[in-house]
Amino acid sequence: MQPQDKPIVGTMIGDPAGIGPEVIVKALACGEPYEMSRPVLIGCTQAVEQAIKMTGTNFRIRRVNDTTDVGFDPEVIDVIDTGKLDPKDYRLAEESAACGHATAGWLQELNELALRGKIQGSIMGPVNTGSLKLANRYDAVVNIEPGSTYLTLFTGPLRIVHLTDHIPLREVSKLISRDLVYAALRTIHDSFDGWGVKNPRIAVCGFNPHAYGDEENKEMVPAVERAKAEGVQVSGPIAPDTVFRHCIDGRYDIVLAMFHDQGHIAVKTWGFVGNCAMILGLPYIQMSVAHGTAFDIVGQNKASHEMMLMAMKQTASLAAGRGFLPVQRAAVN
């Protein structure tokens, strides 16, 4: 791939009081994000400079005004810094309204760049809910809305879309409908097909043991049949105790899980390190990591960058229309 053909991937540095800047710098230092994309960071230049010193990396920083100025040099980190944070207004490992306001502003800038086509993929660094609440800006984080947006997790061969997220099980049962399942199947097919996973093989996970119950028979089966009639390659509902193994073994590309823990347990059993998350259903790619700001280890160069590196690589691959990253078998943690 020629340098000018690589997708521009924007990464919001996360709350600067946490490990976001550290893990981002360490991930970039691996070199692979530069091989696959043209990275640009959105956030505070001084926070990135501090992370470079903490991690002992040898980057130069270049402050740019627009993504048209993003370069190709793997020894340079380009940063869009609109002055939303005075470095004097925060300290490492401390929640603050200043960081909350800045984080919310950077998220808005990241989303606007994606909506305007200025970047081809976006990544949200780890945010701190306490800081966002102090700033009264928790609204800046995209909330999952069943039927519209879906939390999606990637780890090795497992790619799991969640029909619902933080909802009690008794409410999930009431929510499962043929229209809701069908809408998720269309979103999964259309999105990933456009990102290079041509005609993805989707497995629908049952809600009940052995995928046998009213939710399956009355709601899921009609949704699956409707999607099949439109050319979607979908199977199910399949028993929850076997469907994830089928995906690991390569029978399916993606599993549609019915609720939060159903998908999360499978992901975290396969391997927690190196996974990443996506909000599916937005008009652009938005990836994130599955960890927080880790105030207990910030500034110690202990934080693992593997999730951030995977997020950068997977975003770049999808943004370039190359589909999922090649699967490498990993030891189960």
Side-chain angles (χ1 to χ4, degrees), residues 101-112:
H101 281 296
T103 301
W106 296 332
L107 274 175
Q108 183 177 356
E109 291 176 353
L110 182 73
N111 295 336
E112 288 176 353

Side-chain angles (χ1 to χ4, degrees), residues 249-265:
D249 290 341
R251 293 191 192 181
Y252 306 108
D253 298 306
I254 305 163
V255 178
L256 174 62
M258 293 298 107
F259 56 93
H260 180 279
D261 281 17
Q262 190 177 59
H264 279 61
I265 290 172

Side-chain angles (χ1 to χ4, degrees), residues 83-98:
K84 285 185 167 52
L85 180 66
D86 186 334
K88 298 177 182 178
D89 291 341
Y90 79 95
R91 294 181 180 179
L92 291 180
E94 291 185 10
E95 295 178 352
S96 68

Side-chain angles (χ1 to χ4, degrees), residues 10 40 42 66-67 80 108-120:
V40 60
I42 292 85
D66 191 81
T67 58
I80 295 176
Q108 183 177 356
E109 291 176 353
L110 182 73
N111 295 336
E112 288 176 353
L113 287 170
L115 286 170
R116 292 163 56 199
K118 292 282 189 175
I119 56 177
Q120 286 70 60

Side-chain angles (χ1 to χ4, degrees), residues 319-331:
R322 295 175 178 266
F324 298 126
L325 293 171
V327 173
Q328 293 182 348
R329 179 85 186 190

Side-chain angles (χ1 to χ4, degrees), residues 38-320:
R38 295 166 61 190
V40 60
L41 305 188
I42 292 85
C44 175
T45 304
Q46 289 88 343
V48 180
E49 289 175 342
Q50 186 178 40
I52 291 172
K53 293 177 182 178
M54 288 176 187
T55 57
T57 50
N58 297 312
F59 287 110
R60 301 191 307 276
I61 290 182
R62 185 174 61 168
R63 191 166 176 170
V64 297
N65 296 318
D66 191 81
T67 58
T68 55
D69 301 322
V70 174
F72 308 94
D73 191 341
E75 296 182 356
V76 174
I77 296 179
D78 288 327
V79 182
I80 295 176
D81 181 353
T82 54
K84 285 185 167 52
L85 180 66
D86 186 334
K88 298 177 182 178
D89 291 341
Y90 79 95
R91 294 181 180 179
L92 291 180
E94 291 185 10
E95 295 178 352
S96 68
C99 284
H101 281 296
T103 301
W106 296 332
L107 274 175
Q108 183 177 356
E109 291 176 353
L110 182 73
N111 295 336
E112 288 176 353
L113 287 170
L115 286 170
R116 292 163 56 199
K118 292 282 189 175
I119 56 177
Q120 286 70 60
S122 66
I123 302 169
M124 181 180 73
V127 300
N128 185 279
T129 55
S131 292
L132 287 169
K133 288 176 180 178
L134 285 173
N136 196 28
R137 288 304 316 274
Y138 193 62
D139 62 303
V141 179
V142 175
N143 290 316
I144 301 298
E145 297 289 342
S148 177
T149 52
Y150 311 89
L151 178 61
T152 302
L153 302 182
F154 300 81
T155 182
L158 279 176
R159 302 105 183 182
I160 303 175
V161 178
H162 295 70
L163 185 73
T164 62
D165 193 26
H166 292 113
I167 297 175
L169 282 180
R170 69 182 64 184
E171 299 301 322
V172 174
S173 176
K174 298 174 185 176
L175 277 173
I176 294 173
S177 69
R178 61 187 67 186
D179 288 340
L180 192 67
V181 174
Y182 168 78
L185 292 174
R186 284 275 20 152
T187 299
I188 294 168
H189 176 274
D190 295 347
S191 297
F192 287 107
D193 188 78
W195 293 328
V197 187
K198 296 304 179 184
N199 200 18
R201 301 166 298 164
I202 308 168
V204 175
C205 181
F207 179 70
N208 295 288
H210 305 296
Y212 185 77
D214 287 347
E215 291 86 354
E216 287 84 2
N217 296 329
K218 295 180 179 179
E219 307 299 340
M220 295 185 208
V221 169
V224 168
E225 293 304 317
R226 179 182 175 187
K228 278 184 178 179
E230 296 177 1
V232 176
Q233 192 173 181
V234 55
S235 301
I238 301 170
D241 61 352
T242 60
V243 66
F244 301 107
R245 170 54 59 184
H246 291 330
C247 188
I248 289 170
D249 290 341
R251 293 191 192 181
Y252 306 108
D253 298 306
I254 305 163
V255 178
L256 174 62
M258 293 298 107
F259 56 93
H260 180 279
D261 281 17
Q262 190 177 59
H264 279 61
I265 290 172
V267 165
K268 294 178 181 180
T269 300
W270 168 258
F272 187 70
V273 174
N275 64 31
C276 57
M278 166 187 276
I279 304 298
L280 186 67
L282 299 174
Y284 52 88
I285 298 170
Q286 187 188 85
M287 204 75 70
S288 64
V289 290
H291 62 73
T293 47
F295 281 174
D296 57 325
I297 60 170
V298 65
Q300 301 175 40
N301 199 21
K302 292 181 179 179
S304 172
H305 62 282
E306 291 186 62
M307 289 189 189
M308 180 55 70
L309 177 61
M310 183 59 66
M312 289 179 171
K313 291 166 61 178
Q314 187 62 80
T315 301
S317 186
L318 293 174

